[in-house]
Structures are given as structure tokens and as C-alpha cells.
Amino acid sequence: MILPTHYTFSIFILSLIKKDPSIFLYATFSLLPDLDIKLKDHRRFLHSFLFCFLILIIFRNNLIFIPYFSHIFLDYFTYTPLTLLWPYKGKYSLRLIKSGSIIDKLLTVLFLILFLLNYFLLK
């Protein structure tokens, strides 16, 4: 998925939990798994359940964990597999959406609309 899809999905999910401007900051944690994008290890350790668990233990904050985990969740739907059970070498993917495709971009718009509806209309 593209970064805007990850971010808009996170702000939508976080807005279901908390109606506060701080969710815009917390949603940036959804972008962290792609810090390894320039490395040969992309979609490995930072996209694993183990690292999600470490995030939860280190920060002890669901408003940080949920956006991070949402990134892994969305990437699972793409064609590029993830090593969810790292350090085991198995790779997993549902192969439903191509990253950067029109579907991916439409999801960004959908998540943004859902966020706006929830945040501003359903207070």
C-alpha cells in the first residue's frame, strides 16, 4: 500500500477510538514499518508480528500500537509477501491489491471519507 493509504486508514481507525487532534500525530506510527524501504530487508523484521509486539511492550500505548499494526494488516492484502513470523522465513500475502494501483488510491479516498464522516459528523 502507498503511504497515504496507511495514514488515512490509521486516522480513521484512531478516530473510532478517540476524537482528538492528537490522532494525527499517532497515525504517523503507521508509516514506521516502511523505514526499511531502501534496504534489502524491506517487509521483513519491521513488518513482523514480533516487532509489533515489541512496539506494544516498549510504548505500552494502543494509540501507537494500532497504527503500526494497521500498516502490517493492510500490507497483508498486497501482492508483495511479508515475513509475519520473522525470524522464520515463511512469507505471507493475500495477493488482492497491487501497491500503488487505482484500488490502492481509491482506498485512500475511502478511508479519508470515512474518517471525515466519523470525526466531524458522528461526535
Side-chain angles (χ1 to χ4, degrees), residues 31-44:
L31 309 177
L32 290 181
D34 282 342
L35 285 176
D36 63 0
I37 206 158
K38 296 290 184 186
L39 306 173
K40 293 180 183 179
D41 284 343
H42 183 56
R43 291 193 172 214
R44 295 192 58 182

Side-chain angles (χ1 to χ4, degrees), residues 77-123:
F77 290 93
T78 66
Y79 279 78
T80 308
L82 309 169
T83 53
L84 294 173
L85 301 176
W86 188 93
Y88 300 105
K89 299 199 186 298
K91 294 186 176 188
Y92 306 92
S93 169
L94 290 179
R95 301 181 51 84
L96 296 175
I97 301 167
K98 280 187 155 181
S99 291
S101 69
I102 190 71
I103 301 291
D104 191 357
K105 293 172 184 170
L106 287 173
L107 284 172
T108 300
V109 174
L110 173 66
F111 297 144
L112 181 59
I113 290 168
L114 291 172
F115 160 71
L116 292 170
L117 288 172
N118 181 58
Y119 193 78
F120 293 108
L121 297 180
L122 301 176
K123 284 195 171 194

Side-chain angles (χ1 to χ4, degrees), residues 16-60:
L16 295 172
I17 299 166
K18 184 176 185 173
K19 302 265 195 300
D20 184 281
S22 66
I23 64 171
F24 296 104
L25 178 62
Y26 286 116
T28 60
F29 283 90
S30 69
L31 309 177
L32 290 181
D34 282 342
L35 285 176
D36 63 0
I37 206 158
K38 296 290 184 186
L39 306 173
K40 293 180 183 179
D41 284 343
H42 183 56
R43 291 193 172 214
R44 295 192 58 182
F45 179 58
L46 294 181
H47 283 75
S48 70
F49 291 139
L50 176 61
F51 199 80
C52 284
F53 183 65
L54 290 174
I55 290 289
L56 186 58
I57 289 172
I58 292 167
F59 292 102
R60 296 176 187 229

Side-chain angles (χ1 to χ4, degrees), residues 58-76:
I58 292 167
F59 292 102
R60 296 176 187 229
N61 185 335
N62 283 336
L63 296 175
I64 293 172
F65 170 75
I66 290 169
Y68 194 93
F69 182 78
S70 75
H71 182 110
I72 309 316
F73 175 76
L74 287 178
D75 276 357
Y76 182 63

